[in-house]
Amino acid sequence: MFIVRKARKLRVVEQNLCEYQSMNQRAEYTVRGLNKKLSDDLVEMLVQQLMGFHEYMQEEIADDLELFVKKKVVKTTGCPSVDCVLDVCYMWIAAELGELN
């Protein structure tokens, strides 16, 4: 975490709450289907980004990632937390595909 590396005198409490999250199977299938164009490691990172969002939003994120990979279209949702995750995912994808200058 950036804040942990830069700030002093912080106490870090680590948890793993993933088991309490549900995964939309269609969204996961959509993202995993990107493995023809993206590395397995990146696909796994993208799937992990879906966690913590409502199942409807997971589908939206997955569809937006697929649109970016296949048609180079950046789509936003108007939800700051989702758009922040999408922005990071778009950067990871663009970097792997060599689309960043």
Side-chain angles (χ1 to χ4, degrees):
M1 294 179 72
F2 179 79
I3 188 69
V4 172
R5 290 192 308 258
K6 296 297 181 186
R8 295 186 180 134
K9 298 182 182 182
L10 290 179
R11 195 176 106 209
V12 177
V13 178
E14 293 186 27
Q15 301 181 86
N16 185 349
L17 302 176
C18 289
E19 66 183 82
Y20 300 107
Q21 300 296 310
S22 61
M23 177 64 75
N24 180 306
Q25 296 303 310
R26 184 184 120 13
E28 183 177 5
Y29 180 80
T30 299
V31 174
R32 291 202 185 278
L34 300 175
N35 67 350
K36 295 175 183 111
K37 296 198 177 229
L38 305 176
S39 69
D40 290 342
D41 288 340
L42 180 54
V43 167
E44 191 58 38
M45 288 170 51
L46 296 174
V47 168
Q48 292 302 311
Q49 299 313 301
L50 300 175
M51 300 296 283
F53 290 103
H54 184 275
E55 289 191 17
Y56 169 80
M57 196 57 77
Q58 290 176 359
E59 282 190 31
E60 181 64 34
I61 293 167
D63 291 343
D64 294 350
L65 294 176
E66 182 179 47
L67 184 65
F68 183 73
V69 169
K70 292 184 175 180
K71 297 189 178 182
K72 307 300 183 254
V73 173
V74 171
K75 188 174 169 193
T76 62
T77 66
C79 299
S81 58
V82 176
D83 290 341
C84 183
V85 168
L86 279 171
D87 190 47
V88 170
C89 292
Y90 293 151
M91 291 295 292
W92 289 342
I93 293 166
E96 182 167 291
L97 296 178
E99 297 176 2
L100 297 178
N101 293 332

